[in-house]
Amino acid sequence: MMMDKITEVSGRAPGKIILCGEHAVVHGSAALAASLGLYTQVRIQTPNSNSLSVDPNVHLTINLTDMNVCLTWPMQRVEAAFESLDAFVVDPLCIKPCSTDFLQCVAALIDKEEFPEAIIGVAEGVSALLFLYISIIGFKPATVIVTSDLPLGSGLGSSAALCVATSGAVLALSGALHLDSVQDVWLSLDESKREVVNKWAFEGEKIIHGRPSGIDNTVSTFGNVVKFKSGHLTHIRHIFPIKLLITNTKVGRNTKALVAEVSERSSRHPKSMSAVFSAVNDICEEIAEIIQAPSSDDISISEKEGKLEELMEMNQGLLKCMGVSHPCIEAVLKTTSKYKLCSKLTGAGGGGCVLTLLPKCILLMFIFLD
């Protein structure tokens, strides 16, 4: 996070990949995720007190620069939209879910806005941003500028990165969290403060995805590699290096709908789907063991990579059982299998991105050919 005379605050948060455990994590399985070096940044500019006294027609503006979407509301309209709420209290450290009444007030602001039809989830993302801003800051004018390296709807955690970056920036602006300097102009939070950011971000994710597991916002908040199960976070000390290729199918999908479809399938076939989720849990636990164990020589590395390929293949098969694969994903799998490479979807599926494990022997061949 970066602050400049408290009139401007920027928060940034990374995207993520799911190594294993998609969907099953919602139903109690373990999942492994890792943060990416791709970020979403939320910059909040607030007018000083002098400008407020001169200009009574102040606004709340949300500028989604990558999508060419700019929304502006007079503060009087924002306050009027929330008049129906009883005893609305701003408390940055009191994490509370977005109530149905609150969401209806947000809808009153954005329902008449025009969002690009080709971009999935923009309205939900704006709703989450408004919820976090108003819950933590209240009815104060500002310009919120969002930029991102992450493609939307691709399974790389763009919505979680938005919620985490927004939560961090707004909490810093409110003065509720004191920042710890680390290097350059960016500041960081210790683990206890990050947990506050994470909890707020999770509430934002609920608005976007309905019933998220919490793994996306958790890995975006804490970074590195984490194992997540039933709300419990374990930091993974990965000794064994993994090289992965990420392929974006550029087929958009609706995470909320896919999560709901898996839940519906589980309701129809509880015993069978329970076995599927249990198998995914065992795969995640085994992968966690592999990447935490040291390798003494090339033979050991090759054996581990072979096991990872088999586990990834099994996980992909189970995801297909859940009904979340897609012809475009299967096309990537078919292409990579021609080169004896193992791939699986990452994220919600139904499109999005595919991970391909790149064994050391392949990387050495590329280096030799180069």
Side-chain angles (χ1 to χ4, degrees):
M1 290 164 202
M2 182 169 59
M3 298 188 66
D4 182 17
K5 300 179 180 178
I6 76 166
T7 59
E8 180 173 318
V9 178
S10 291
R12 72 171 188 173
K16 66 88 183 71
I17 55 171
I18 303 284
L19 297 172
C20 62
E22 297 91 338
H23 290 288
V25 69
V26 177
H27 300 271
S29 167
L32 285 175
S35 58
L36 288 174
L38 299 173
Y39 295 85
T40 290
Q41 181 168 319
V42 175
R43 185 156 48 105
I44 305 176
Q45 300 170 336
T46 57
N48 58 43
S49 57
N50 291 333
S51 65
L52 284 175
S53 61
V54 173
D55 182 10
N57 299 313
V58 289
H59 294 75
L60 176 61
T61 298
I62 297 177
N63 188 353
L64 309 176
T65 58
D66 301 314
M67 290 172 273
N68 295 317
V69 174
C70 187
L71 310 171
T72 299
W73 304 278
M75 287 310 300
Q76 291 180 345
R77 183 183 165 193
V78 176
E79 293 186 39
F82 288 84
E83 280 181 345
S84 60
L85 287 184
D86 295 329
F88 177 73
V89 178
V90 174
D91 187 347
L93 297 181
C94 179
I95 296 95
K96 49 188 176 291
C98 183
S99 66
T100 302
D101 291 341
F102 195 106
L103 201 55
Q104 288 176 347
C105 294
V106 171
L109 281 178
I110 69 171
D111 275 354
K112 294 182 180 180
E113 303 293 344
E114 294 184 0
F115 297 102
E117 292 183 5
I119 306 176
I120 299 172
V122 177
E124 289 84 355
V126 171
S127 298
L129 195 156
L130 283 169
F131 161 70
L132 293 168
Y133 183 84
I134 293 172
S135 295
I136 297 171
I137 292 292
F139 304 112
K140 295 183 180 180
T143 296
V144 182
I145 303 167
V146 181
T147 58
S148 185
D149 306 323
L150 296 161
L152 294 180
S154 62
L156 299 183
S158 59
S159 65
L162 170 66
C163 291
V164 172
T166 300
S167 299
V170 175
L171 284 164
L173 184 65
S174 73
L177 299 180
H178 299 290
L179 306 179
D180 305 314
S181 180
V182 287
Q183 60 180 357
D184 301 325
V185 294
W186 286 98
L187 307 173
S188 182
L189 299 173
D190 63 28
E191 188 160 334
S192 63
K193 295 169 186 173
R194 289 191 186 203
E195 189 55 46
V196 177
V197 172
N198 191 37
K199 288 179 178 178
W200 272 115
F202 183 51
E203 298 305 326
E205 277 277 87
K206 289 179 182 177
I207 295 173
I208 300 172
H209 295 309
R211 191 190 171 192
S213 66
I215 190 170
D216 285 18
N217 51 278
T218 300
V219 75
S220 184
T221 301
F222 293 96
N224 298 315
V225 180
V226 300
K227 182 172 73 173
F228 188 87
K229 183 174 182 179
S230 302
H232 180 67
L233 171 70
T234 304
H235 293 280
I236 299 296
R237 184 170 175 263
H238 56 294
I239 296 175
F240 184 68
I242 301 175
K243 299 293 184 182
L244 295 165
L245 171 69
I246 302 175
T247 303
N248 187 357
T249 66
K250 295 187 177 180
V251 174
R253 76 285 185 280
N254 188 317
T255 299
K256 182 186 289 187
L258 287 162
V259 171
E261 287 170 11
V262 174
S263 294
E264 289 169 5
R265 181 172 290 206
S266 180
S267 297
R268 293 193 299 270
H269 312 286
K271 290 184 179 179
S272 297
M273 289 297 286
S274 176
V276 169
F277 299 144
S278 177
V280 171
N281 181 79
D282 293 341
I283 288 170
C284 288
E285 296 291 354
E286 190 171 349
I287 290 177
E289 290 177 6
I290 290 172
I291 65 177
Q292 291 182 94
S295 300
S296 56
D297 50 38
D298 288 346
I299 296 176
S300 176
I301 291 173
S302 180
E303 289 177 350
K304 285 187 175 182
E305 289 175 342
K307 288 181 179 180
L308 287 174
E309 287 175 341
E310 291 176 343
L311 292 167
M312 286 179 64
E313 185 177 21
M314 287 188 279
N315 193 182
Q316 175 61 30
L318 293 167
L319 287 163
K320 194 170 182 179
C321 289
M322 297 179 207
V324 296
S325 191
H326 186 276
C328 68
I329 294 172
E330 297 300 321
V332 175
L333 299 181
K334 185 176 180 181
T335 299
T336 57
S337 68
K338 290 180 182 178
Y339 300 93
K340 301 188 183 303
L341 297 174
C342 184
S343 304
K344 67 171 287 291
L345 68 84
T346 183
C353 288
V354 177
L355 300 180
T356 301
L357 180 65
L358 299 178
K360 185 178 179 181
C361 61
I362 294 291
L363 295 174
L364 288 173
M365 183 180 71
F366 287 162
I367 294 170
F368 178 75
L369 291 174
D370 188 52

